[in-house]
Amino acid sequence: MDLAEQLPEAAIATRVAADDWRAAIRAAGDRLVATGVTTDAYTDEMIAAVEEHGPYIVIAPGFALAHSRPSPAVQRTGISWITLAEPVAFGSKANDPVSLVVGLAATDHDGHLEIMAALAGILADDDAFASLLAADSPAAVRARLAALAPAA
């Protein structure tokens, strides 16, 4: 899967200022709303999930996968991509601070698996991760993701 195809420029924001993890998740949620993937209620659900279960969404050093369960607030499966101007602590002893937040919304429990597999492949590569964090515009993020996509 080519993640660049899943991410229109409106779903990406770079160098976002966020005072805390809630603001970082809200930024990812705002991009999901802007692209018609979710309503604002889903952003509240993502924040509530972390409040209830802790920073389980911080799944790798510097990376948080903001999500919640499928709900009526999800219009279609999609993702958003937020790089932070300054890293933010989520409370994860192993993986703080976070510099990249990907917002993920799915209409069912399986619809997002292909997206997650593509993300895992890219984020396991330290050079690719650093390159994506350094991207200074949505167009640059999309270009780097396209370059990293496996050949069809």
Side-chain angles (χ1 to χ4, degrees):
M1 167 180 278
D2 182 347
L3 283 175
E5 292 177 2
Q6 303 298 315
L7 275 168
E9 288 192 17
I12 302 168
T14 59
R15 299 183 179 171
V16 172
D19 290 336
D20 58 24
W21 65 264
R22 286 178 180 84
I25 291 175
R26 193 152 302 282
D30 287 349
R31 297 294 87 214
L32 291 171
V33 172
T35 52
V37 172
T38 67
T39 67
D40 285 327
Y42 188 73
T43 302
D44 295 336
E45 292 168 8
M46 291 191 296
I47 291 170
V50 174
E51 289 172 342
E52 182 176 348
H53 302 292
Y56 72 100
I57 66 169
V58 184
I59 59 175
F63 173 64
L65 182 62
H67 63 282
S68 187
R69 297 177 183 199
S71 79
V74 178
Q75 310 292 307
R76 61 181 173 83
T77 296
I79 58 175
S80 64
W81 184 281
I82 305 297
T83 57
L84 299 173
E86 297 295 331
V88 171
F90 276 63
S92 170
K93 290 180 182 177
N95 296 320
D96 267 347
V98 169
S99 298
L100 170 63
V101 180
V102 171
L104 171 67
T107 55
D108 60 42
H109 291 287
D110 298 325
H112 62 290
L113 296 178
E114 196 174 351
I115 291 172
M116 288 185 66
L119 273 173
I122 288 173
L123 299 174
D125 179 334
D126 291 341
D127 291 337
F129 187 71
S131 171
L132 288 163
L133 288 180
D136 61 359
S137 70
V141 169
R142 291 190 79 241
R144 291 175 188 183
L145 286 171
L148 293 168

